[in-house]
Amino acid sequence: MAGSGCGWARAVRGLLLDVSGVLYDSGADGGVPIAGSAEAVRRIKASGLKLQLCTNETQATRENFVRKLRALGFDISVAEVTAPAPAACRLLRERGLRPHLLVHDDLVPEFAEIDKTNPNCVVLGDAAENFTYANLNEAFRLLIGMEKPVLISLGKGRYYKETDGLKLDVGAYMKALEYACDVQAEVVGKPAKKFFESALAELGVPAEQAIMIGDDIVSDVGGAQQCGMRALQVRTGKYRPSDENHPEVKPDAYVNNLAEAVDIILQQL
Amino acid sequence: MAGSGCGWARAVRGLLLDVSGVLYDSGADGGVPIAGSAEAVRRIKASGLKLQLCTNETQATRENFVRKLRALGFDISVAEVTAPAPAACRLLRERGLRPHLLVHDDLVPEFAEIDKTNPNCVVLGDAAENFTYANLNEAFRLLIGMEKPVLISLGKGRYYKETDGLKLDVGAYMKALEYACDVQAEVVGKPAKKFFESALAELGVPAEQAIMIGDDIVSDVGGAQQCGMRALQVRTGKYRPSDENHPEVKPDAYVNNLAEAVDIILQQL
């Protein structure tokens, strides 16, 4: 992969990085850094390239998420994280929506300032252990009882990998509620174009000078390419060999891990 | 509805009845009979019309289901019930499939004779309280780990009504697993044509002389019509007024409840 023929790495001014599966493998134990990734983040910053994390993480507030990343050795600040919950709060305010939340307990503080009385929409995140039969029925009943059900989903991932195995992601539960209520969810997070655009705005680099690096062939790679970015798939995290035969999405390149991507990109600067 | 203009009720020799929402409203408390339905079943039998229950019930073995119906006042025997689990067992045997079961505890005995070691498919029923985050992740991991994932769903209902409110049905969880694993489930139960055909065979009456009576506009009414039966929607159970504007399915008639349907049908005999 390295050496000549890496035209995809030219004229880069900023990187968007997915987090889980690229920087670390998440898990109930807090997770494990992927070898070389913390050093790769330091090298990106030292090179003068801009960097923004673009994550669908909805199991914690950005503050707690950054605290966890720092404990794992990543030099990251809150402003360097683009995540669905703050984007959802902007959308709720713009449209006067009052959410019923089916999200992880640790995400709830992100919605502290939002009026949640007499809900007129449901916001679905990766609720993990909160995806109980009772909670899903409650969200369903609220939706089906609305004159015009509004379902907002923080991402639409199929699954992700934790240290103890693969887990169903929010997208699976979104599909369950979509089907039961015959509605289509509005997705806030990757691969929504609007979400990538806000990440680029925070990165401060136009799409054609940015590269997205992720482990999800559809959400990370496909979504970023639809916004005019180049996109790499790492062979870490939820990557599976069958991704390389994906019928619709073809990354600009595959790399074994973030460290290899950064090696190649820095050689072209 | 009664009186003249009920051509749909002519030349009938047998009735297929949905159960939950037609005979009774189910619930954790055992459920409550719908007024007039037990008497209607007696009148059907006294008239000489054939009768078969055609249910997607998967929260109990047929034996226990019939015991519950009898306790609620319905004169029904096990042979008069067509249900998904026995049909699924036939399919598993025919194809040498060894299921991992994600079903209600009370349904497990239906699969007693089936080899369940080293599963090569997942069978999904209305697992109710067994639809936990852990159980869904387990079924997902088994499926995604199969070279060719096989998901068999006992019905694909969106939701049903219990005495304490609407509940998500198996179809919603089927959609979650379908999306996560990028597979299409095989449905055993209504509205699958093969399932209606076995109910008709057990009824012993050809499609054109049978009427299906149910509360589910898609699964009961649409499914039966696709098999060449006439079909009525009752305004009990999960019926909602918006069903009467369904974009695809139009029942042969609406009736307020089973008793009214039987009144009209018996008048035409």
Side-chain angles (χ1 to χ4, degrees):
Chain A
M1 181 54 65
S4 62
C6 292
W8 58 263
R10 296 206 180 101
V12 179
R13 285 185 46 225
L15 301 180
L16 289 185
L17 306 186
D18 178 36
V19 182
S20 177
V22 176
L23 298 192
Y24 77 115
D25 283 319
S26 61
D29 52 2
V32 178
I34 291 172
S37 286
E39 177 63 21
V41 167
R42 272 190 292 275
R43 292 175 66 206
I44 294 166
K45 292 192 164 186
S47 74
L49 286 175
K50 295 199 175 184
L51 174 146
Q52 184 77 15
L53 305 188
C54 182
T55 178
N56 275 4
E57 168 68 40
T58 59
Q59 287 205 358
T61 59
R62 275 191 302 177
E63 284 71 16
N64 283 335
F65 185 54
V66 164
R67 199 168 296 136
K68 186 167 84 170
L69 289 176
R70 295 184 69 87
L72 290 170
F74 294 97
D75 173 23
I76 293 294
S77 65
V78 170
E80 289 170 322
V81 177
T82 301
C89 287
R90 286 195 295 274
L91 181 151
L92 294 167
R93 281 200 196 90
E94 279 164 24
R95 288 167 47 188
L97 291 170
R98 300 178 306 277
H100 169 79
L101 301 177
L102 178 45
V103 301
H104 198 285
D105 287 343
D106 295 345
L107 193 71
V108 173
E110 291 273 23
F111 297 87
E113 310 286 302
I114 302 282
D115 180 8
K116 294 179 280 293
T117 56
N118 188 19
N120 57 6
C121 74
V122 167
V123 170
L124 192 68
D126 175 16
E129 302 288 345
N130 280 346
F131 280 132
T132 63
Y133 181 61
N135 286 347
L136 284 162
N137 279 331
E138 185 187 12
F140 159 66
R141 271 183 221 132
L142 281 164
L143 275 173
I144 197 96
M146 291 172 194
E147 200 179 337
K148 197 177 174 316
V150 175
L151 174 60
I152 294 169
S153 187
L154 306 180
K156 62 172 194 176
R158 294 165 189 264
Y159 58 88
Y160 54 87
K161 189 182 171 192
E162 293 208 322
T163 45
D164 61 343
L166 297 176
K167 302 274 170 79
L168 287 171
D169 198 359
V170 61
Y173 294 94
M174 176 191 88
K175 287 289 172 184
L177 291 174
E178 282 188 340
Y179 177 70
C181 302
D182 200 14
V183 296
Q184 185 147 25
E186 303 175 38
V187 176
V188 175
K190 298 176 288 184
K193 195 166 182 177
K194 202 170 166 184
F195 186 73
F196 276 112
E197 286 168 351
S198 43
L200 282 170
E202 293 177 288
L203 183 68
V205 165
E208 56 279 11
Q209 298 182 338
I211 294 182
M212 172 78 201
I213 303 177
D215 65 336
D216 188 313
I217 181 75
V218 173
S219 221
D220 294 326
V221 176
Q225 287 178 332
Q226 295 248 321
C227 290
M229 274 176 267
R230 284 161 277 176
L232 312 184
Q233 188 178 18
V234 288
R235 295 194 182 99
T236 54
K238 81 175 78 168
Y239 163 85
R240 302 167 78 216
S242 62
D243 291 344
E244 304 204 14
N245 304 313
H246 195 280
E248 282 150 36
V249 183
K250 190 169 164 43
D252 292 86
Y254 294 96
V255 288
N256 286 322
N257 48 48
L258 178 63
E260 188 186 60
V262 171
D263 278 345
I264 299 170
I265 291 165
L266 296 189
Q267 281 168 27
Q268 304 275 335
L269 284 186
Chain B
M1 183 55 66
S4 62
C6 293
W8 59 262
R10 298 207 178 98
V12 178
R13 285 183 48 224
L15 301 180
L16 288 185
L17 305 186
D18 178 36
V19 182
S20 177
V22 176
L23 299 191
Y24 76 117
D25 283 318
S26 60
D29 52 1
V32 178
I34 291 171
S37 286
E39 177 62 21
V41 167
R42 273 191 291 276
R43 292 174 66 206
I44 294 166
K45 292 193 163 184
S47 74
L49 285 175
K50 296 200 174 181
L51 174 144
Q52 184 78 15
L53 305 189
C54 181
T55 178
N56 275 5
E57 168 67 39
T58 59
Q59 288 205 358
T61 60
R62 277 190 302 176
E63 285 70 17
N64 282 336
F65 185 54
V66 164
R67 198 168 296 136
K68 186 166 85 170
L69 290 177
R70 296 184 69 87
L72 290 171
F74 294 97
D75 174 22
I76 293 295
S77 66
V78 170
E80 288 170 324
V81 177
T82 301
C89 287
R90 286 195 295 276
L91 181 151
L92 294 168
R93 279 200 198 90
E94 279 164 24
R95 288 168 45 190
L97 291 170
R98 301 178 306 276
H100 168 80
L101 302 176
L102 178 45
V103 301
H104 198 285
D105 287 344
D106 294 346
L107 192 71
V108 172
E110 291 273 23
F111 298 88
E113 309 287 303
I114 302 283
D115 180 8
K116 292 179 281 292
T117 56
N118 189 18
N120 57 6
C121 75
V122 167
V123 170
L124 191 69
D126 176 15
E129 302 289 345
N130 280 347
F131 280 133
T132 64
Y133 180 61
N135 286 348
L136 284 163
N137 279 331
E138 185 188 11
F140 159 66
R141 271 183 222 132
L142 281 163
L143 276 173
I144 198 97
M146 292 172 192
E147 200 179 339
K148 198 179 172 318
V150 175
L151 174 61
I152 295 169
S153 188
L154 306 180
K156 62 172 194 176
R158 293 166 189 265
Y159 58 88
Y160 54 86
K161 188 184 170 186
E162 293 210 321
T163 45
D164 61 344
L166 297 176
K167 303 274 170 80
L168 287 171
D169 198 358
V170 62
Y173 294 95
M174 175 191 89
K175 288 289 173 184
L177 291 175
E178 282 189 337
Y179 177 70
C181 302
D182 200 15
V183 295
Q184 185 148 28
E186 302 175 40
V187 177
V188 175
K190 297 177 287 185
K193 194 166 184 180
K194 202 169 166 186
F195 187 73
F196 276 111
E197 286 169 352
S198 43
L200 281 170
E202 293 177 288
L203 182 67
V205 165
E208 56 279 12
Q209 297 181 341
I211 294 182
M212 172 78 202
I213 304 177
D215 65 336
D216 188 311
I217 181 74
V218 172
S219 221
D220 294 326
V221 175
Q225 288 179 332
Q226 295 248 321
C227 289
M229 276 177 265
R230 287 161 276 176
L232 312 184
Q233 189 179 17
V234 289
R235 294 196 182 97
T236 53
K238 81 175 81 170
Y239 163 85
R240 302 165 80 215
S242 62
D243 292 343
E244 303 204 16
N245 304 313
H246 195 279
E248 281 149 37
V249 183
K250 191 170 164 42
D252 292 270
Y254 295 95
V255 287
N256 286 322
N257 47 47
L258 177 64
E260 188 187 58
V262 171
D263 279 346
I264 299 170
I265 291 165
L266 296 188
Q267 280 169 26
Q268 304 274 335
L269 284 185

